[in-house]
Amino acid sequence: MTVTPIAACNDFVVKFANVNGSGSASANELFAKSILRMGVPVSPRNIFPSNIQGLPTWYEVRVTGAGWLGRRGGGVELMVAMNPQTWAQDVAEIAPGGYLFHDSSKPLPASKFRDDITVIGMPLTAICNATYADPRQRQLFKNIMYVGALSQLLGIEIEVIEQLIGEQYRSKEKLLAANREALHLGRDHAREQLGDVMHLRVRRADKVGDRIFVDGNSAAALGCVYGGATVCAWYPITPSSSCAEAFERYCTKLRKDEQGRSRYAIVQAEDEIASIGMVVGAGWNGARAFTTTSGPGISLMSEFIGLAYFAEIPVTLIDVQRGGPSTGMPTRTQQSDVLLCAYASHGDTKHVLLLPEDPRECFEFSAAALDLADRLQTPVFVLTDLDIGMNQRLCEPFAWDESRRLDRGKVMTAEELEAGRDFGRYLDVDGDGIPYRTYPGTHPTKGGYFTRGTSRDAYARYSERGADYIYNMERLLKKFDTAKALVPQPVLHHAEQPTRHGAIYFGSTSPAMAEARALLDGHDIHLDTLRLRAFPFPQVVAEFIAGHEVVFVVEQNRDAQMKALLVNELGIDPAKLVSVLHYDGTPITARFIVAAIGERVSTATRPSDQEQAA
């Protein structure tokens, strides 16, 4: 079978199939960044199943001159196959007319290949064995060598890669020289021995602008620093651990006083229960504190979360969602903790959720969560997921208003207490449901109270009277209602023409939804869309649903958790909301959304037999 090789410029997908622990990660990232430095947007994603060193890992780079940042799906144009263990599935993933780049040091039978792809072999292992004596160097420099070969085949400017290597090893001259040598070995071999065998090209453009390239976990950690966090207690769990690690890195630079003393506390606790206990204690004491975890951690933390809710203690939780709940899916992405976090713990609880779409909003929302937790005196969740948290993504530069001050909310001072101001720890004085609090030690004789859960009156005195309980519970609802105006508001996008159809989405579905909207427009299917950025839902969400005949709810879980939350909180007729659900552990794609929505809209608008006869 003969298939014309694919020809494309600045619009294709490259996938690297490697072995975990082989040192390929930095080389693959170097490849992605070099294209980015040429002004061409890229959208890379790590795909690393739950495994240990020596088992498979993949790195997928979408080269996207049009700027779409969602995962494309549908096969790859170029597979860089460096792992014999996954050879069959890697070769099968190549689109007809695509390209297979592999290490040809050991000949393979014809049955290992396909006749509808172009096979490009390069004896990487043989070259490395002839060049380097050290086994580790052979492995590491093989990765840089294939980057050099690909730069020649794809037209990536060598100066760009050299500059990136120079930045990475600026203080290690020996490594700098060795990496440059390996880069040129690969590039020279490709030029001299492979020729013009590939019709995929990277051409310099100006489509990146001033955007930055960063992962969501690092962004959230930096947001916590700027938001005033001084305490982090955590327990390692994929995919959130790098958030706490990044917070520690930033604190060593940014949380020092003029004498160089550390002004922060980071505790790796013995488990998730201990970590949330420390954060609750720090929040009660007046510190800005947070923990970072994932769904299984939230489950273990639930009792402390309930205590913080009813005792009204500021706590921030960054939940990097994953598939789960066991150890089988910790490196797969899902939006699977929506209901878990919204109603975490026992009793009648409702929690504030912030839903960032990209690293920039991870930065903004983490800082905002610390303000909201203080102002509302309650746990606040920042719900990201693995796709945002652990993958680098293009986003707008972070911005910070230097005049911004921390919003500590209603805190009664020693002066106010001394002046005789009435202090009721759980007393609603102005109808917003939020009481005043004091920091421990504010006044030697006034403003003290015993911290309790629900069994208290407005002055924190123990009480099991029904009237006191009802007062407290209804006040907490008022506070939750107050939060609607304080949280980030939804983002509305109107279609170019009036439409009966709408779509609601949130978080990491955003890049795919933006691309899907453009593709649907091309099929003359128009959607108004609303991106949720927080729970509780402002009134505009109910109005959006009421204004459309059908509203699709796009989310990445099996049980339509966001749809359930909308129905439960807004009293929506479930039949009006149509779920678009994706939950195989990979990021949702525009193709998936278009197929789901396009089929439903086409069926709904197709004329009946009677209408056709008329």
Side-chain angles (χ1 to χ4, degrees):
M1 179 173 61
T2 302
V3 175
T4 302
I6 295 171
C9 179
N10 293 354
D11 186 17
F12 53 89
V13 175
V14 183
K15 191 168 185 177
F16 297 84
N18 298 104
V19 175
N20 197 11
S22 64
S24 60
S26 59
N28 296 342
E29 185 178 310
L30 179 69
F31 172 85
K33 286 184 175 179
S34 66
I35 298 173
L36 196 64
R37 287 284 180 94
M38 289 180 64
V40 181
V42 296
S43 180
R45 281 172 171 81
N46 284 292
I47 305 169
F48 41 98
S50 179
N51 60 32
I52 57 175
Q53 183 168 322
L55 293 182
T57 185
W58 293 268
Y59 187 74
E60 184 178 280
V61 181
R62 182 179 184 182
V63 182
T64 168
W68 303 122
L69 299 181
R71 187 169 187 246
R72 194 193 67 185
V76 303
E77 281 74 21
L78 171 59
M79 177 65 70
V80 182
M82 294 291 124
N83 187 359
Q85 294 174 308
T86 60
W87 177 273
Q89 71 182 82
D90 295 333
V91 172
E93 197 173 342
I94 304 170
Y99 303 85
L100 170 66
F101 181 93
H102 74 108
D103 183 355
S104 60
S105 298
K106 292 183 179 180
L108 294 172
S111 60
K112 292 286 188 179
F113 302 100
R114 288 167 41 190
D115 58 5
D116 63 343
I117 62 175
T118 299
V119 178
I120 305 169
M122 179 174 169
L124 292 163
T125 300
I127 296 172
C128 286
N129 288 347
T131 307
Y132 306 105
D134 181 79
R136 184 58 177 166
Q137 283 188 331
R138 289 173 175 176
Q139 178 58 59
L140 294 176
F141 291 135
K142 182 169 74 172
N143 300 322
I144 299 299
M145 199 175 295
Y146 70 61
V147 171
L150 293 174
S151 73
Q152 174 65 29
L153 295 171
L154 293 169
I156 301 173
E157 298 169 7
I158 189 66
E159 297 81 7
V160 170
I161 307 179
E162 287 183 330
Q163 182 182 7
L164 285 166
I165 292 175
E167 292 171 5
Q168 184 173 352
Y169 299 108
R170 61 169 58 93
S171 61
K172 301 176 181 177
E173 187 62 36
K174 189 175 180 180
L175 285 175
L176 174 61
N179 275 274
R180 281 179 172 167
E181 179 189 25
L183 178 72
H184 282 278
L185 275 173
R187 189 176 177 91
D188 292 346
H189 182 95
R191 183 179 62 252
E192 296 165 6
Q193 303 296 327
L194 301 179
D196 188 19
V197 293
M198 190 182 296
H199 305 302
L200 305 177
R201 288 291 181 270
V202 178
R203 183 176 299 155
R204 180 169 283 277
D206 187 20
K207 300 294 185 181
V208 175
D210 65 349
R211 286 181 291 177
I212 61 175
F213 193 54
V214 66
D215 64 275
N217 281 354
S218 296
L222 189 60
C224 287
V225 173
Y226 273 73
T230 57
V231 175
C232 171
W234 65 295
Y235 183 76
I237 181 172
T238 303
S240 73
S241 295
S242 61
C243 182
E245 292 162 356
F247 182 72
E248 182 175 13
R249 289 197 306 273
Y250 293 134
C251 281
T252 58
K253 297 179 180 179
L254 303 173
R255 276 276 181 272
K256 302 276 190 178
D257 63 16
E258 294 179 355
Q259 286 73 42
R261 294 172 299 191
S262 297
R263 309 301 296 175
Y264 60 90
I266 301 173
V267 182
Q268 182 177 320
E270 61 268 32
D271 55 35
E272 287 89 349
I273 300 172
S275 67
I276 188 64
M278 294 173 188
V279 170
V280 170
W284 173 85
N285 202 45
R288 287 203 156 182
F290 77 98
T291 189
T292 179
T293 189
S294 194
I298 299 295
S299 297
L300 290 168
M301 295 176 182
S302 287
E303 188 168 5
F304 263 119
I305 293 170
L307 172 64
Y309 175 80
F310 287 114
E312 299 178 65
I313 297 171
V315 171
T316 295
L317 302 97
I318 298 174
D319 177 11
V320 189
Q321 299 169 95
R322 68 186 215 188
S326 70
T327 57
M329 293 283 281
T331 54
R332 301 292 186 178
T333 192
Q334 278 192 27
Q335 296 171 317
S336 54
D337 299 342
V338 176
L339 291 176
L340 172 66
C341 293
Y343 302 123
S345 200
H346 47 273
D348 292 323
T349 55
K350 290 186 181 183
H351 303 297
V352 174
L353 313 180
L354 306 187
L355 310 168
E357 69 165 346
D358 64 5
R360 179 190 169 108
E361 286 195 345
C362 287
F363 171 78
E364 293 177 352
F365 287 10
S366 293
L370 292 159
D371 270 351
L372 286 168
D374 265 352
R375 185 165 177 180
L376 295 167
Q377 301 172 31
T378 197
V380 175
F381 293 80
V382 180
L383 286 188
T384 74
D385 57 33
L386 184 147
D387 189 31
I388 299 174
M390 295 194 70
N391 289 314
Q392 292 179 308
R393 186 176 295 181
L394 275 175
C395 66
E396 294 301 316
F398 302 161
W400 188 260
D401 182 357
E402 293 297 336
S403 65
R404 176 174 169 178
R405 295 294 176 263
L406 304 184
D407 184 352
R408 302 309 300 258
K410 294 179 178 178
V411 180
M412 197 168 289
T413 66
E415 292 75 17
E416 290 171 320
L417 292 168
E418 186 64 31
R421 185 168 179 181
D422 184 30
F423 174 68
R425 174 62 186 96
Y426 302 109
L427 181 66
D428 184 5
V429 297
D430 52 16
D432 65 0
I434 306 170
Y436 274 84
R437 60 176 173 145
T438 57
Y439 298 139
T442 295
H443 190 281
T445 59
K446 300 178 181 179
Y449 61 94
F450 192 88
T451 304
R452 301 185 185 278
T454 56
S455 293
R456 75 297 178 90
D457 66 9
Y459 289 85
R461 296 172 300 211
Y462 183 82
S463 172
E464 293 186 28
R465 292 179 62 249
D468 288 334
Y469 179 80
I470 290 171
Y471 167 82
N472 187 58
M473 298 300 287
E474 291 184 349
R475 182 182 56 76
L476 289 170
L477 279 181
K478 284 183 184 178
K479 181 163 69 170
F480 196 69
D481 191 59
T482 297
K484 293 178 182 179
L486 302 178
V487 298
Q489 299 298 293
V491 176
L492 176 63
H493 180 275
H494 288 291
E496 294 182 356
Q497 62 188 57
T499 176
R500 297 174 296 140
H501 301 102
I504 288 175
Y505 63 104
F506 63 99
S508 64
T509 61
S510 184
M513 193 66 216
E515 185 177 0
R517 191 165 52 219
L519 293 172
L520 288 166
D521 283 344
H523 294 301
D524 201 29
I525 297 174
H526 303 285
L527 285 177
D528 294 330
T529 61
L530 188 72
R531 178 167 69 89
L532 301 176
R533 300 205 298 163
F535 171 73
F537 305 123
Q539 181 60 28
V540 66
V541 179
E543 294 170 356
F544 178 86
I545 296 171
H548 295 84
E549 186 175 306
V550 173
V551 175
F552 298 94
V553 183
V554 181
E555 51 186 314
Q556 298 184 96
N557 56 68
R558 184 198 68 180
D559 293 339
Q561 294 184 32
M562 185 58 75
K563 175 184 173 181
L565 197 59
L566 289 164
V567 169
N568 191 50
E569 294 295 323
L570 301 179
I572 304 297
D573 179 2
K576 194 169 187 177
L577 302 179
V578 177
S579 290
V580 176
L581 304 176
H582 185 274
Y583 50 91
D584 67 357
T586 63
I588 195 170
T589 65
R591 296 183 185 197
F592 183 90
I593 296 171
V594 168
I597 293 179
E599 175 60 27
R600 173 66 184 247
V601 173
S602 298
T603 302
T605 58
R606 190 178 298 143
S608 65
D609 293 340
Q610 291 179 336
E611 290 173 325
Q612 289 178 332

